[in-house]
Amino acid sequence: MGSAVAYHLARRGLKVLALEQFDIPHEFGSSHGVSRIIRLAYAEHPNYVPLLQRAYELWRELERKTGERLLFVTGGIDAGEESSSLVSGSLLSCQIHDLPHERLDSASITRRFPGYRLGQEMIGIYQPDAGFLLAERCVVAHVVAAQKLGAEVRARERMMQWRTVEGGVSVKTNRDSYRARKMIITAGPWSRTMVPALRDTAVPERQVVIWTQPLQPDYFKLGVFPVFNMEVPEGRFYGFPVYGVPGFKIGKYHHRLERVDDLDQMDRDCSLEDEDVLRAGIRRYFPDANGPTMGMKTCLFTNSPDEHFILDRLVSDPQVGIAAGFSGHGFKFCSVVGEIMTELMIDGAPKLNIEMFRLSRFAAAQVRDCRN
Ligand SMILES: Cc1cc2nc3c(=O)[nH]c(=O)nc-3n(C[C@H](O)[C@H](O)[C@H](O)COP(=O)(O)OP(=O)(O)OC[C@H]3O[C@@H](n4cnc5c(N)ncnc54)[C@H](O)[C@@H]3O)c2cc1C
């Protein structure tokens, strides 16, 4: 998010300083690794679809600017029982926004995409625009494009403190001090340590993904296997065709429900217990991918209470913007979040509607809870 914000601010001709506490890229936050799914039939809420349509445009624009391919369209399947929130939500987004899609039963899915073995009770919404983004390359591309436009980007520099001052903000890092007229905080899992208002509304959670060697490599190839999300009794799985590293990649939302209060103490190793959670999904729904383990990695979600994003300025300090709480589904939106936060902070309001992402919705919910 920070790399995209830096790019969009620089694109407006502003003087930009971007700070990153680790390297660019690095493996300690939420945006590392090869791939992240992008999809248009958005089960989480149909209001995300206009943001996604703009996100696709901006990813393509970034590809043109940097001469690098970042987005691969594979088609995507949202699967589960007809009544599941994933299938009904995906279908609703398709209907409201008139998105091309097909409703497929489990046998048709296996005929067309032989890697899939869904239960008879399951159906899938196939949406042809879904695919994946090359995650770390996207971060690098935004940084390089921002630098080309004059942004100053500094890695291994950690913001230690900030405060509002007359006409702007003052920031202290481990290396220096700065003043700026405005500041946008995109600190991912660290957001709650930077912004007290996010203490209970942007909470980190440990995640794990695995890559396994397919037993039938042809079924899981790029061009054959569509990305997926799947709501099943075990939970919600997501996965990708083989690309970039050996192996079929699968993860499970909220993995083992491990909230992380101290990021310095987080367990960044992957265990056999972690593997069991993911193998259960592979064994049952993708048996032809159930070969030897090729790799595993930890990563972090930053969950908001309703799992919708937080895109706002602070009421107490309106010169400070925040983009946080991406709740495990934010990467695909980085490009458009960069544009939205720029418009919010520079023009006063973005062109796209971000009402449902206001931080104040949680304060309002707390007041309602007290009254009940
Ligand atoms: C396993 C996994 C799978 C996912 N799959 C998908 C997917 O398929 N599709 C999708 O759309 N999304 C997916 N997501 C979610 C997506 O990756 C995140 O929503 C997104 O990467 C969040 O980006 P961010 O910039 O908010 O956080 P981060 O990438 O963590 O960036 C925050 C940055 O701020 C820096 N920082 C923090 N504090 C300071 C400080 N004080 N000073 C300087 N720098 C600081 C950090 O070092 C970090 O680099 C997935 C997430 C995980 C963990």
Side-chain angles (χ1 to χ4, degrees):
M1 298 297 170
S3 60
V5 165
Y7 167 64
H8 281 276
L9 289 170
R11 206 169 165 228
R12 294 285 289 264
L14 296 158
K15 191 168 179 213
V16 182
L17 170 67
L19 299 174
E20 165 54 53
Q21 63 182 341
F22 300 124
D23 294 330
I24 302 172
H26 67 84
E27 297 214 334
F28 305 113
S30 303
S31 303
H32 52 286
V34 177
S35 54
R36 292 290 186 282
I37 290 174
I38 181 163
R39 54 197 159 86
L40 203 47
Y42 221 63
E44 284 78 354
H45 199 291
N47 286 1
Y48 283 95
V49 176
L51 275 65
L52 283 161
Q53 287 167 326
R54 181 64 182 145
Y56 270 85
E57 281 174 14
L58 289 170
W59 288 122
R60 291 302 188 200
E61 184 189 298
L62 187 63
E63 284 184 322
R64 286 194 296 276
K65 290 242 151 83
T66 56
E68 192 174 340
R69 185 152 181 212
L70 302 169
L71 196 170
F72 289 73
V73 171
T74 61
I77 293 182
D78 291 329
E81 291 194 18
E82 181 111 44
S83 60
S84 63
S85 57
L86 180 62
V87 169
S88 57
S90 171
L91 203 52
L92 183 69
S93 275
C94 288
Q95 286 158 350
I96 290 182
H97 294 285
D98 202 16
L99 306 176
H101 67 281
E102 290 173 66
R103 182 190 177 287
L104 302 173
D105 62 26
S106 63
S108 325
I109 293 175
T110 305
R111 261 197 308 279
R112 213 154 130 187
F113 310 112
Y116 284 77
R117 291 300 161 69
L118 308 183
Q120 271 184 357
E121 70 292 356
M122 292 170 70
I123 63 155
I125 305 302
Y126 176 78
Q127 208 289 317
D129 298 297
F132 63 88
L133 291 156
L134 299 184
E136 286 185 13
R137 296 309 309 163
C138 289
V139 174
V140 172
H142 270 133
V143 167
V144 170
Q147 286 172 323
K148 255 194 190 156
L149 294 168
E152 201 176 315
V153 182
R154 298 182 172 209
R156 293 191 175 237
E157 182 154 0
R158 181 177 217 159
M159 178 164 83
M160 312 297 285
Q161 276 177 4
W162 65 269
R163 65 191 170 88
T164 46
V165 292
E166 182 69 36
V169 290
S170 148
V171 168
K172 252 202 182 115
T173 73
N174 57 331
R175 291 175 185 256
D176 217 330
S177 302
Y178 305 95
R179 270 179 179 238
R181 273 194 290 130
K182 295 188 176 172
M183 172 168 73
I184 300 175
I185 299 181
T186 56
W190 290 267
S191 299
R192 66 204 295 254
T193 61
M194 297 285 102
V195 183
L198 296 176
R199 208 180 70 86
D200 300 317
T201 50
V203 179
E205 185 190 2
R206 178 177 175 273
Q207 303 296 310
V208 176
V209 292
I210 190 169
W211 288 261
T212 58
Q213 184 184 356
L215 305 171
Q216 296 285 350
D218 285 352
Y219 293 176
F220 297 92
K221 280 195 317 204
L222 185 67
V224 174
F225 187 87
V227 296
F228 69 87
N229 267 256
M230 177 182 294
E231 195 175 312
V232 286
E234 295 87 348
R236 180 166 163 182
F237 291 104
Y238 57 89
F240 304 73
V242 177
Y243 185 87
V245 290
F248 160 71
K249 175 182 173 186
I250 186 169
K252 185 179 158 219
Y253 274 79
H254 302 305
H255 189 59
R256 290 164 65 198
L257 298 171
E258 295 168 292
R259 176 185 164 127
V260 182
D261 282 313
D262 182 349
L263 289 163
D264 294 332
Q265 298 298 318
M266 173 188 158
D267 178 7
R268 292 184 182 272
D269 282 340
C270 303
S271 65
L272 291 175
E273 288 75 29
D274 290 320
E275 178 160 346
D276 282 348
V277 171
L278 303 169
R279 282 277 171 193
I282 303 174
R283 217 179 292 121
R284 183 158 174 192
Y285 305 105
F286 302 97
D288 293 317
N290 199 22
T293 301
M294 294 289 103
M296 291 175 79
K297 276 253 183 293
T298 57
C299 184
L300 282 154
F301 280 6
T302 308
N303 299 318
S304 77
D306 59 8
E307 300 194 3
H308 294 304
F309 306 161
I310 299 168
L311 306 175
D312 212 339
R313 36 202 324 168
L314 292 177
V315 177
S316 51
D317 306 284
Q319 60 274 60
V320 178
I322 43 168
F326 290 98
S327 306
H329 61 116
F331 196 92
K332 60 184 85 59
F333 294 89
C334 289
S335 57
V336 71
V337 167
E339 184 174 73
I340 285 171
M341 292 309 294
T342 298
E343 291 173 354
L344 178 67
M345 297 307 290
I346 306 307
D347 307 330
K351 287 191 224 43
L352 289 159
N353 185 345
I354 58 162
E355 257 333 287
M356 72 178 268
F357 305 119
R358 295 269 179 233
L359 178 60
S360 56
R361 72 189 187 272
F362 301 120
Q366 274 163 16
V367 171
R368 271 200 306 278
D369 280 353
C370 294
R371 287 191 189 136
N372 284 339

